[in-house]
């Protein structure tokens, strides 16, 4: 199932004990296969909450069948962010609505 859920591989900067904290095994060849790392990044300024940013490498849906699965992976690996929608007007103006109706 790994190939189904993984969004890589990507070359990425990082190490142990740094902001982009990655877990990997050292090898003689210097090709370190990353086993774990941060799952998301967010910057929230509580004095200006509506200008918060975030990035999520598996996209907002988290569903491998979605067109948005892994659509943020490249931005994430480049250290970039996307503006978070933090007010009702922004959310309603840019989203789709899913309605469940009982039978």
């Amino acid at each position: 199932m790994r190939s189904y859920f993984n969004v890589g591989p990507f070359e990425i900067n990082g190490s142990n004990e740094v902001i982009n904290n990655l877990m990997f095994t050292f090898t003689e060849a210097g090709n370190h296969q990353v086993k774990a790392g941060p799952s998301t990044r967010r910057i929230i300024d509580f004095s200006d909450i509506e200008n918060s940013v975030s990035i999520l490498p598996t996209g907002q849906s988290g569903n491998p069948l979605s067109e948005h699965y892994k659509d943020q992976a490249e931005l994430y690996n480049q250290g970039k962010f996307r503006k978070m929608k933090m007010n009702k007007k922004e959310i309603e103006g840019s989203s789709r609505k899913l309605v469940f109706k009982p039978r």
Side-chain angles (χ1 to χ4, degrees):
M1 299 301 290
R2 181 175 292 150
S3 62
Y4 184 70
F5 290 104
N6 280 359
V7 298
F10 298 100
E11 289 188 17
I12 189 165
N13 294 321
S15 185
N16 295 323
E17 311 301 330
V18 298
I19 290 175
N20 194 29
N21 189 3
L22 303 173
M23 181 190 305
F24 53 88
T25 303
F26 289 98
T27 65
E28 292 290 326
N31 182 8
H32 309 311
Q33 189 91 15
V34 175
K35 298 177 182 177
S39 63
T40 187
R41 295 186 187 109
R42 289 183 190 92
I43 301 173
I44 300 172
D45 179 348
F46 288 100
S47 70
D48 188 12
I49 197 88
E50 292 193 15
N51 285 310
S52 299
V53 293
S54 70
I55 194 73
L56 182 63
T58 54
Q60 191 61 33
S61 76
N63 176 355
L65 300 176
S66 168
E67 64 184 292
H68 297 292
Y69 189 71
K70 69 184 174 185
D71 65 354
Q72 297 180 39
E74 288 288 345
L75 294 172
Y76 178 91
N77 290 332
Q78 295 168 8
K80 296 181 180 178
F81 292 85
R82 298 181 71 214
K83 185 179 180 314
M84 295 171 67
K85 293 174 174 56
M86 300 295 283
N87 67 57
K88 188 173 181 175
K89 185 176 178 181
E90 275 184 322
I91 294 167
E92 289 179 345
S94 65
S95 62
R96 292 179 271 170
K97 184 186 265 187
L98 176 63
V99 178
F100 291 98
K101 295 182 179 182
R103 290 186 209 184

XYZ file of all heavy atoms in Angstrom:
825
model
N 0.817 -1.200 0.000
C 0.000 0.000 0.000
C 0.864 1.269 0.000
O 0.359 2.352 -0.197
C -0.928 0.004 1.212
C -1.912 -1.159 1.272
S -3.014 -1.271 -0.133
C -4.055 0.123 0.097
N 2.158 1.127 0.266
C 3.038 2.292 0.357
C 2.992 3.136 -0.915
O 2.877 4.356 -0.861
C 4.460 1.828 0.647
C 5.439 2.977 0.777
C 6.804 2.496 1.176
N 6.711 1.991 2.532
C 7.463 1.030 3.033
N 8.371 0.455 2.287
N 7.320 0.639 4.268
N 3.061 2.504 -2.072
C 3.078 3.276 -3.330
C 1.750 3.998 -3.563
O 1.702 5.007 -4.254
C 3.387 2.355 -4.508
O 2.379 1.379 -4.647
N 0.702 3.496 -2.987
C -0.612 4.108 -3.133
C -0.739 5.387 -2.291
O -1.308 6.377 -2.723
C -1.670 3.084 -2.728
C -3.092 3.537 -2.907
C -3.629 3.692 -4.172
C -3.893 3.800 -1.809
C -4.939 4.097 -4.341
C -5.206 4.205 -1.964
C -5.723 4.351 -3.229
O -7.013 4.755 -3.392
N -0.202 5.362 -1.064
C -0.363 6.480 -0.130
C 0.796 7.472 -0.143
O 0.619 8.627 0.212
C -0.572 5.967 1.295
C -1.904 5.307 1.488
C -2.014 3.929 1.563
C -3.056 6.061 1.575
C -3.247 3.325 1.732
C -4.297 5.469 1.741
C -4.381 4.091 1.816
N 2.006 7.053 -0.510
C 3.147 7.960 -0.499
C 3.017 9.014 -1.593
O 2.475 8.750 -2.658
C 4.454 7.189 -0.690
C 4.925 6.547 0.585
O 4.293 6.678 1.629
N 6.026 5.832 0.508
N 3.556 10.188 -1.334
C 3.496 11.276 -2.307
C 4.857 11.550 -2.947
O 4.959 12.420 -3.778
C 2.922 12.575 -1.678
C 1.512 12.366 -1.210
C 3.800 13.076 -0.565
N 5.879 10.816 -2.582
C 7.236 11.048 -3.089
C 7.624 10.021 -4.125
O 6.759 9.410 -4.733
N 8.906 9.821 -4.313
C 9.989 10.407 -3.525
C 10.379 11.805 -4.007
O 10.174 12.151 -5.164
C 11.144 9.436 -3.737
C 10.909 8.878 -5.098
C 9.405 8.833 -5.264
N 10.948 12.580 -3.094
C 11.452 13.913 -3.376
C 12.809 14.071 -2.708
O 13.040 13.514 -1.638
C 10.541 14.997 -2.770
C 9.149 14.999 -3.302
C 8.127 14.420 -2.590
C 8.858 15.603 -4.519
C 6.825 14.434 -3.065
C 7.561 15.624 -5.003
C 6.543 15.042 -4.273
N 13.688 14.846 -3.320
C 14.898 15.268 -2.621
C 14.494 16.412 -1.716
O 13.736 17.288 -2.122
C 15.965 15.718 -3.602
C 16.557 14.570 -4.382
C 17.757 14.996 -5.210
O 18.324 16.076 -4.943
O 18.113 14.238 -6.114
N 14.992 16.403 -0.482
C 14.585 17.434 0.473
C 15.716 17.712 1.448
O 16.505 16.819 1.765
C 13.294 17.014 1.215
C 12.741 18.160 2.040
C 13.519 15.782 2.056
C 11.329 17.962 2.493
N 15.811 18.960 1.886
C 16.790 19.337 2.899
C 16.202 19.115 4.271
O 15.009 19.285 4.474
C 17.186 20.807 2.742
C 17.916 21.064 1.455
O 18.724 20.256 1.031
N 17.626 22.183 0.819
N 17.043 18.768 5.215
C 16.610 18.580 6.587
C 17.572 17.655 7.300
O 18.492 17.104 6.701
N 17.362 17.482 8.587
C 18.230 16.635 9.384
C 17.562 16.399 10.724
O 16.415 16.800 10.930
C 19.585 17.327 9.574
O 20.477 16.463 10.239
N 18.281 15.771 11.621
C 17.790 15.623 12.989
C 18.018 16.921 13.747
O 18.969 17.642 13.471
C 18.539 14.494 13.709
C 18.270 13.147 13.087
O 17.162 12.871 12.655
N 19.279 12.312 13.030
N 17.138 17.235 14.675
C 17.307 18.375 15.579
C 17.296 19.726 14.876
O 17.980 20.662 15.298
C 18.582 18.231 16.419
C 18.750 16.889 17.081
C 17.605 16.516 18.024
O 16.997 17.404 18.615
O 17.322 15.317 18.149
N 16.575 19.870 13.761
C 16.404 21.145 13.079
C 14.909 21.352 12.840
O 14.107 20.460 13.084
C 17.182 21.203 11.740
C 18.671 21.066 11.974
C 16.692 20.154 10.770
N 14.519 22.523 12.331
C 13.097 22.795 12.113
C 12.482 21.771 11.164
O 11.403 21.263 11.402
C 12.892 24.237 11.610
C 13.206 25.207 12.745
C 11.467 24.430 11.101
C 13.151 26.656 12.364
N 13.168 21.467 10.059
C 12.672 20.422 9.162
C 13.252 19.090 9.627
O 14.124 18.499 9.004
C 13.049 20.709 7.710
C 12.264 19.835 6.763
O 11.142 19.439 7.061
N 12.841 19.525 5.627
N 12.755 18.618 10.758
C 13.272 17.443 11.442
C 12.882 16.177 10.685
O 11.711 15.823 10.606
C 12.710 17.417 12.861
C 13.348 16.357 13.721
O 14.249 15.667 13.304
N 12.849 16.236 14.931
N 13.880 15.491 10.128
C 13.640 14.272 9.364
C 14.305 13.084 10.048
O 15.379 13.211 10.615
C 14.199 14.417 7.945
C 13.661 15.586 7.134
C 14.419 15.699 5.818
C 12.178 15.441 6.896
N 13.660 11.937 9.981
C 14.224 10.712 10.537
C 14.728 9.863 9.371
O 13.993 9.604 8.421
C 13.158 9.925 11.308
C 13.702 8.650 11.928
S 12.406 7.565 12.587
C 11.539 8.650 13.684
N 15.995 9.460 9.437
C 16.567 8.638 8.376
C 17.719 7.835 8.942
O 18.225 8.113 10.028
C 17.040 9.502 7.198
C 17.978 10.606 7.605
C 19.338 10.396 7.671
C 17.476 11.859 7.918
C 20.191 11.421 8.052
C 18.326 12.899 8.291
C 19.685 12.672 8.361
N 18.134 6.823 8.186
C 19.272 5.995 8.565
C 20.477 6.430 7.747
O 20.378 6.600 6.533
C 18.963 4.512 8.279
O 17.773 4.154 8.981
C 20.097 3.613 8.729
N 21.612 6.627 8.421
C 22.835 6.994 7.710
C 23.333 5.794 6.914
O 23.281 4.664 7.381
C 23.921 7.447 8.698
C 23.628 8.768 9.327
C 23.055 8.845 10.577
C 23.934 9.946 8.649
C 22.781 10.070 11.151
C 23.660 11.176 9.222
C 23.080 11.234 10.475
N 23.824 6.034 5.697
C 24.386 4.971 4.863
C 25.767 5.383 4.395
O 26.090 6.574 4.340
C 23.500 4.704 3.627
O 23.509 5.862 2.799
C 22.079 4.345 4.020
N 26.594 4.409 4.040
C 27.933 4.686 3.522
C 27.865 5.483 2.221
O 28.696 6.333 1.959
C 28.690 3.374 3.288
C 29.033 2.622 4.559
C 30.099 3.326 5.368
O 30.991 3.957 4.783
O 30.018 3.260 6.618
N 26.858 5.223 1.400
C 26.729 5.895 0.100
C 26.262 7.335 0.240
O 26.341 8.102 -0.709
C 25.757 5.120 -0.778
N 25.758 7.720 1.402
C 25.272 9.081 1.603
C 23.874 9.304 1.069
O 23.400 10.430 1.031
N 23.217 8.243 0.632
C 21.833 8.332 0.151
C 20.924 7.947 1.312
O 20.724 6.771 1.588
C 21.633 7.382 -1.036
C 20.246 7.474 -1.607
O 19.472 8.349 -1.231
N 19.919 6.583 -2.501
N 20.405 8.938 2.000
C 19.635 8.691 3.215
C 18.152 8.636 2.899
O 17.572 9.625 2.469
C 19.917 9.765 4.255
C 21.387 9.986 4.497
N 22.265 8.955 4.738
C 22.124 11.112 4.509
C 23.474 9.445 4.906
N 23.419 10.755 4.767
N 17.557 7.490 3.110
C 16.129 7.294 2.848
C 15.349 7.831 4.052
O 15.445 7.296 5.148
C 15.842 5.805 2.662
C 14.464 5.494 2.183
C 14.394 5.436 0.675
O 15.393 5.356 0.006
N 13.207 5.480 0.145
N 14.577 8.905 3.842
C 13.799 9.511 4.921
C 12.654 8.587 5.296
O 11.921 8.099 4.447
C 13.262 10.897 4.505
C 12.354 11.475 5.579
C 14.420 11.839 4.218
N 12.515 8.330 6.606
C 11.463 7.439 7.114
C 10.317 8.210 7.758
O 9.213 7.708 7.854
C 12.046 6.473 8.140
C 13.112 5.569 7.581
C 13.686 4.702 8.668
C 14.796 3.823 8.116
N 15.411 3.041 9.172
N 10.583 9.419 8.215
C 9.547 10.211 8.877
C 9.968 11.671 8.885
O 11.153 11.993 8.800
C 9.329 9.721 10.308
N 8.975 12.541 8.990
C 9.233 13.971 9.041
C 7.967 14.706 9.421
O 6.935 14.082 9.694
N 8.001 16.035 9.439
C 6.827 16.809 9.810
C 5.664 16.545 8.847
O 5.866 16.444 7.640
C 7.277 18.260 9.699
C 8.733 18.243 9.420
C 9.138 16.872 9.075
N 4.478 16.439 9.382
C 3.320 16.147 8.540
C 2.628 17.406 8.040
O 1.855 17.349 7.091
C 2.315 15.298 9.308
O 1.836 16.016 10.428
N 2.891 18.522 8.671
C 2.279 19.786 8.267
C 3.100 20.932 8.839
O 3.872 20.744 9.774
C 0.813 19.875 8.743
O 0.208 21.038 8.208
C 0.712 19.900 10.244
N 2.920 22.108 8.282
C 3.543 23.319 8.833
C 2.494 24.412 8.859
O 1.721 24.564 7.922
C 4.707 23.771 7.952
C 5.847 22.804 7.904
C 7.014 23.422 7.131
N 8.038 22.424 6.958
C 8.349 21.848 5.810
N 7.729 22.218 4.707
N 9.284 20.945 5.729
N 2.504 25.192 9.950
C 1.575 26.320 10.086
C 2.300 27.488 10.744
O 3.086 27.286 11.658
C 0.393 25.948 10.982
C -0.556 24.991 10.377
C -1.752 24.743 11.315
N -2.520 23.649 10.811
C -2.358 22.380 11.161
N -1.447 22.051 12.049
N -3.101 21.431 10.642
N 1.988 28.675 10.277
C 2.455 29.895 10.939
C 1.206 30.700 11.250
O 0.487 31.123 10.340
C 3.420 30.700 10.053
C 4.646 29.854 9.695
C 3.819 31.993 10.763
C 5.570 30.509 8.692
N 0.951 30.880 12.534
C -0.249 31.591 12.974
C 0.170 32.772 13.832
O 0.825 32.605 14.853
C -1.188 30.659 13.767
C -1.607 29.484 12.880
C -2.401 31.421 14.279
C -2.368 28.404 13.596
N -0.199 33.962 13.397
C 0.039 35.183 14.160
C -1.283 35.510 14.853
O -2.236 35.944 14.209
C 0.459 36.307 13.213
C 0.700 37.620 13.937
O 0.340 37.742 15.129
O 1.239 38.541 13.291
N -1.363 35.269 16.133
C -2.624 35.447 16.848
C -3.052 36.913 16.946
O -4.189 37.193 17.294
C -2.557 34.792 18.232
C -2.583 33.294 18.140
C -1.413 32.558 18.242
C -3.771 32.623 17.915
C -1.430 31.186 18.141
C -3.798 31.246 17.805
C -2.634 30.527 17.919
N -2.171 37.846 16.576
C -2.580 39.255 16.521
C -3.168 39.610 15.148
O -3.729 40.680 14.983
C -1.393 40.171 16.835
O -0.448 40.136 15.789
N -3.016 38.699 14.175
C -3.530 38.919 12.817
C -3.911 37.552 12.227
O -3.352 37.110 11.232
C -2.462 39.601 11.968
C -2.992 40.044 10.612
O -4.226 40.035 10.401
O -2.153 40.382 9.752
N -4.838 36.891 12.867
C -5.186 35.500 12.572
C -5.560 35.264 11.113
O -5.297 34.197 10.558
C -6.300 35.012 13.524
C -6.375 33.489 13.534
C -7.650 35.580 13.172
C -5.486 32.861 14.516
N -6.141 36.243 10.444
C -6.596 36.053 9.071
C -5.465 36.023 8.054
O -5.696 35.746 6.882
C -7.644 37.094 8.706
C -8.922 36.861 9.497
C -10.097 37.647 8.983
O -10.028 38.167 7.862
O -11.088 37.721 9.718
N -4.248 36.276 8.465
C -3.103 36.167 7.572
C -2.217 34.984 7.929
O -1.024 34.981 7.651
C -2.311 37.477 7.543
C -3.044 38.520 6.732
O -3.464 38.255 5.608
N -3.236 39.689 7.298
N -2.808 33.952 8.510
C -2.092 32.727 8.834
C -1.825 31.934 7.561
O -2.571 32.029 6.587
C -2.914 31.872 9.799
O -3.139 32.581 10.997
N -0.748 31.152 7.567
C -0.391 30.317 6.421
C -0.135 28.892 6.892
O 0.195 28.654 8.055
C 0.846 30.868 5.670
C 0.534 32.193 5.010
C 2.047 30.984 6.585
N -0.296 27.951 5.971
C -0.018 26.554 6.279
C 0.328 25.812 4.997
O 0.166 26.329 3.897
C -1.228 25.895 6.950
O -2.282 25.748 6.028
N 0.794 24.585 5.167
C 1.074 23.706 4.034
C 0.940 22.268 4.520
O 1.300 21.957 5.649
C 2.471 23.986 3.423
C 2.626 23.332 2.061
C 3.581 23.601 4.362
C 1.856 24.014 0.960
N 0.382 21.430 3.674
C 0.112 20.031 4.021
C 0.460 19.178 2.805
O -0.232 19.259 1.785
C -1.362 19.889 4.392
C -1.864 18.541 4.837
C -1.186 18.106 6.129
C -3.359 18.597 5.046
N 1.537 18.374 2.863
C 1.995 17.689 1.649
C 0.984 16.727 1.026
O 1.018 16.505 -0.180
C 3.247 16.944 2.089
C 3.153 16.856 3.560
C 2.352 18.040 4.013
N 0.087 16.168 1.803
C -0.909 15.268 1.215
C -2.177 16.013 0.840
O -3.210 15.398 0.599
C -1.253 14.112 2.165
O -1.646 14.640 3.429
C -0.081 13.180 2.341
N -2.120 17.320 0.776
C -3.278 18.102 0.360
C -4.343 18.144 1.441
O -4.276 17.452 2.443
N -5.329 18.969 1.228
C -6.357 19.184 2.235
C -7.272 17.980 2.403
O -7.772 17.719 3.479
C -7.192 20.417 1.869
C -8.115 20.896 2.961
C -7.384 21.305 4.221
O -6.279 21.810 4.188
N -8.001 21.071 5.356
N -7.474 17.207 1.352
C -8.450 16.122 1.436
C -7.934 14.939 2.248
O -8.694 14.306 2.966
C -8.835 15.646 0.042
O -7.816 14.846 -0.510
N -6.652 14.603 2.116
C -6.134 13.413 2.769
C -6.655 12.126 2.140
O -6.400 11.034 2.622
N -7.380 12.248 1.040
C -7.983 11.107 0.360
C -7.200 10.829 -0.925
O -7.210 11.653 -1.831
C -9.444 11.427 0.043
C -10.146 10.353 -0.752
O -9.549 9.376 -1.170
N -11.431 10.543 -0.958
N -6.543 9.661 -1.047
C -5.743 9.372 -2.239
C -6.533 9.388 -3.545
O -5.958 9.520 -4.618
C -5.190 7.973 -1.988
C -5.337 7.746 -0.537
C -6.476 8.590 -0.068
N -7.842 9.297 -3.496
C -8.662 9.333 -4.702
C -9.039 10.757 -5.116
O -9.591 10.967 -6.184
C -9.931 8.495 -4.512
C -9.695 7.016 -4.196
C -11.011 6.309 -3.933
C -8.910 6.342 -5.306
N -8.737 11.730 -4.275
C -9.096 13.123 -4.551
C -8.096 13.767 -5.508
O -6.902 13.474 -5.475
C -9.125 13.920 -3.250
O -9.193 15.307 -3.514
N -8.580 14.693 -6.327
C -7.700 15.464 -7.201
C -6.755 16.344 -6.387
O -5.737 16.818 -6.897
C -8.517 16.327 -8.158
C -9.353 17.389 -7.443
C -10.245 18.181 -8.369
O -9.722 18.949 -9.187
O -11.474 18.015 -8.252
N -7.066 16.586 -5.124
C -6.237 17.452 -4.284
C -5.266 16.673 -3.393
O -4.522 17.280 -2.634
C -7.124 18.352 -3.425
C -7.956 19.277 -4.257
N -7.412 20.302 -5.001
C -9.280 19.310 -4.489
C -8.359 20.929 -5.649
N -9.510 20.347 -5.364
N -5.286 15.351 -3.480
C -4.314 14.560 -2.721
C -2.937 14.830 -3.310
O -2.748 14.778 -4.524
C -4.654 13.071 -2.809
C -3.822 12.221 -1.885
C -4.026 12.274 -0.515
C -2.854 11.362 -2.363
C -3.291 11.496 0.359
C -2.113 10.570 -1.511
C -2.329 10.642 -0.154
O -1.594 9.861 0.702
N -2.008 15.151 -2.504
C -0.602 15.463 -2.810
C -0.400 16.708 -3.661
O 0.669 16.947 -4.195
C 0.142 14.256 -3.381
C -0.229 13.783 -4.764
C 0.548 12.522 -5.098
C 0.112 11.936 -6.410
N 0.766 10.685 -6.678
N -1.425 17.564 -3.773
C -1.264 18.760 -4.600
C -0.459 19.869 -3.920
O -0.154 20.872 -4.543
C -2.605 19.289 -5.097
C -3.528 19.793 -4.007
O -3.205 19.640 -2.816
O -4.593 20.333 -4.343
N -0.086 19.679 -2.660
C 0.744 20.667 -1.974
C 2.159 20.150 -1.703
O 2.975 20.850 -1.113
C 0.088 21.068 -0.645
C -1.261 21.740 -0.806
C -1.863 22.119 0.523
O -1.187 22.558 1.449
N -3.181 21.966 0.630
N 2.476 18.943 -2.167
C 3.765 18.319 -1.850
C 4.956 19.114 -2.373
O 5.941 19.310 -1.656
C 3.801 16.886 -2.377
N 4.887 19.575 -3.610
C 6.007 20.347 -4.173
C 6.218 21.651 -3.404
O 7.350 22.017 -3.092
C 5.776 20.643 -5.656
C 5.925 19.438 -6.553
C 7.371 18.972 -6.724
O 8.307 19.722 -6.378
O 7.548 17.845 -7.196
N 5.122 22.362 -3.115
C 5.229 23.608 -2.332
C 5.830 23.328 -0.960
O 6.686 24.070 -0.478
C 3.845 24.248 -2.168
C 3.183 24.772 -3.428
C 1.742 25.187 -3.131
C 3.962 25.935 -4.002
N 5.387 22.256 -0.313
C 5.881 21.858 1.004
C 7.395 21.636 0.955
O 8.131 22.146 1.794
C 5.160 20.579 1.423
C 5.581 20.003 2.749
C 4.932 20.368 3.918
C 6.606 19.076 2.835
C 5.299 19.834 5.138
C 6.986 18.546 4.051
C 6.335 18.923 5.190
O 6.705 18.388 6.397
N 7.861 20.917 -0.045
C 9.289 20.615 -0.161
C 10.122 21.831 -0.526
O 11.322 21.850 -0.281
C 9.510 19.492 -1.169
C 9.007 18.173 -0.648
O 8.967 17.947 0.557
N 8.605 17.294 -1.535
N 9.498 22.843 -1.092
C 10.194 24.095 -1.416
C 10.148 25.086 -0.254
O 10.666 26.193 -0.358
C 9.567 24.737 -2.655
C 9.730 23.925 -3.913
C 8.862 24.444 -5.047
O 8.229 25.499 -4.957
N 8.823 23.693 -6.134
N 9.511 24.697 0.863
C 9.407 25.586 2.019
C 8.379 26.681 1.849
O 8.418 27.692 2.550
N 7.435 26.490 0.928
C 6.411 27.502 0.675
C 5.143 27.201 1.463
O 4.973 26.103 1.988
C 6.109 27.586 -0.818
C 7.312 28.057 -1.621
C 6.999 28.158 -3.084
C 8.231 28.639 -3.846
N 7.967 28.690 -5.278
N 4.259 28.181 1.519
C 3.020 28.063 2.283
C 1.845 28.555 1.448
O 2.023 29.230 0.440
C 3.092 28.910 3.563
C 4.073 28.399 4.567
C 5.409 28.736 4.495
C 3.645 27.575 5.598
C 6.313 28.265 5.423
C 4.541 27.091 6.529
C 5.878 27.438 6.442
N 0.641 28.237 1.919
C -0.597 28.744 1.323
C -1.368 29.491 2.410
O -1.349 29.094 3.573
C -1.451 27.583 0.806
C -0.745 26.797 -0.285
C -1.583 25.662 -0.808
N -2.672 26.225 -1.589
C -3.885 25.704 -1.655
N -4.185 24.616 -0.998
N -4.819 26.265 -2.386
N -2.040 30.564 1.997
C -2.831 31.333 2.958
C -3.987 30.480 3.467
O -4.671 29.819 2.690
C -3.371 32.597 2.301
C -4.113 33.502 3.271
C -4.600 34.752 2.575
C -5.331 35.674 3.506
N -6.310 35.089 4.379
N -4.200 30.497 4.769
C -5.327 29.774 5.367
C -6.574 30.641 5.279
O -6.503 31.856 5.433
C -5.019 29.443 6.835
C -3.875 28.477 7.007
S -3.353 28.290 8.725
C -4.772 27.493 9.434
N -7.682 30.030 5.039
C -8.963 30.749 5.025
C -9.506 30.725 6.455
O -9.862 29.671 6.971
C -9.912 30.097 4.035
C -9.422 30.257 2.604
C -10.287 29.500 1.643
C -9.916 29.739 0.215
N -8.591 29.481 -0.184
N -9.567 31.899 7.060
C -9.884 31.963 8.485
C -11.148 32.759 8.791
O -11.423 33.035 9.944
C -8.706 32.574 9.252
C -7.420 31.791 9.120
S -7.516 30.154 9.848
C -7.359 30.545 11.577
N -11.908 33.133 7.759
C -13.174 33.804 8.051
C -14.261 33.225 7.147
O -13.984 32.662 6.083
C -13.074 35.330 7.931
C -12.846 35.794 6.515
O -13.632 35.492 5.625
N -11.763 36.538 6.299
N -15.483 33.355 7.563
C -16.619 32.736 6.883
C -16.734 33.171 5.427
O -16.993 32.356 4.540
C -17.905 33.052 7.649
C -19.107 32.311 7.141
C -20.297 32.550 8.041
C -21.507 31.773 7.536
N -22.648 31.886 8.444
N -16.516 34.454 5.143
C -16.653 34.974 3.782
C -15.638 34.314 2.840
O -15.985 33.905 1.730
C -16.485 36.487 3.786
C -16.729 37.133 2.452
C -16.635 38.645 2.561
C -16.839 39.293 1.200
N -16.726 40.733 1.269
N -14.385 34.206 3.271
C -13.350 33.554 2.454
C -13.683 32.079 2.213
O -13.532 31.579 1.103
C -11.987 33.617 3.157
C -11.203 34.848 2.934
C -9.842 34.750 3.583
O -9.706 34.192 4.691
O -8.898 35.255 2.962
N -14.110 31.424 3.245
C -14.419 29.991 3.148
C -15.586 29.759 2.199
O -15.508 28.939 1.286
C -14.706 29.402 4.541
C -13.436 29.444 5.387
C -15.249 27.979 4.424
C -13.666 29.180 6.856
N -16.668 30.482 2.399
C -17.852 30.300 1.556
C -17.591 30.712 0.108
O -18.157 30.136 -0.814
C -19.037 31.073 2.118
C -19.582 30.471 3.392
C -20.744 31.245 3.980
O -20.971 32.415 3.583
O -21.431 30.676 4.838
N -16.729 31.681 -0.109
C -16.452 32.170 -1.451
C -15.536 31.288 -2.270
O -15.389 31.481 -3.467
N -14.915 30.310 -1.634
C -13.946 29.507 -2.382
C -14.109 28.006 -2.180
O -13.207 27.246 -2.491
C -12.533 29.910 -1.967
O -12.334 29.580 -0.610
N -15.221 27.592 -1.656
C -15.366 26.165 -1.376
C -16.614 25.586 -2.015
O -17.494 26.301 -2.475
C -15.397 25.935 0.138
O -16.509 26.581 0.694
N -16.618 24.270 -2.034
C -17.801 23.547 -2.503
C -18.490 22.980 -1.274
O -17.877 22.752 -0.244
C -17.385 22.409 -3.426
C -16.799 22.929 -4.738
C -16.374 21.798 -5.607
N -14.985 21.497 -5.254
C -14.328 20.440 -5.666
N -14.905 19.558 -6.421
N -13.084 20.257 -5.326
N -19.738 22.729 -1.385
C -20.509 22.217 -0.266
C -20.938 20.787 -0.560
O -21.445 20.481 -1.637
C -21.750 23.071 -0.036
C -22.559 22.660 1.188
C -23.845 23.437 1.281
C -23.653 24.616 2.185
N -24.922 25.322 2.433
N -20.722 19.908 0.403
C -21.136 18.519 0.310
C -22.314 18.341 1.251
O -22.210 18.624 2.438
C -20.002 17.585 0.705
C -20.312 16.099 0.754
C -20.704 15.582 -0.637
C -19.107 15.330 1.284
N -23.437 17.912 0.711
C -24.642 17.747 1.511
C -25.048 16.277 1.503
O -25.192 15.675 0.438
C -25.807 18.606 0.952
C -27.083 18.390 1.758
C -25.415 20.074 0.938
N -25.215 15.716 2.689
C -25.689 14.355 2.825
C -27.191 14.396 3.109
O -27.629 15.114 3.995
C -24.986 13.632 3.990
C -23.545 13.375 3.720
C -22.563 14.226 4.219
C -23.160 12.280 2.956
C -21.229 13.990 3.976
C -21.811 12.042 2.697
C -20.845 12.892 3.200
N -27.963 13.623 2.359
C -29.402 13.580 2.553
C -29.798 12.147 2.912
O -29.433 11.203 2.197
C -30.138 14.011 1.280
C -29.892 15.452 0.914
C -30.673 15.841 -0.319
C -30.422 17.301 -0.656
N -31.194 17.723 -1.819
N -30.547 11.982 3.985
C -30.971 10.624 4.351
C -31.950 10.076 3.312
O -32.664 10.818 2.653
C -31.666 10.819 5.702
C -31.953 12.259 5.808
C -31.027 12.995 4.902
N -31.972 8.770 3.177
C -32.895 8.136 2.209
C -34.323 8.224 2.646
O -34.723 8.263 3.700
C -32.550 6.655 2.053
C -31.263 6.468 1.333
C -31.084 5.002 1.092
N -29.649 4.735 1.046
C -29.135 3.568 0.785
N -29.920 2.551 0.569
N -27.864 3.395 0.739
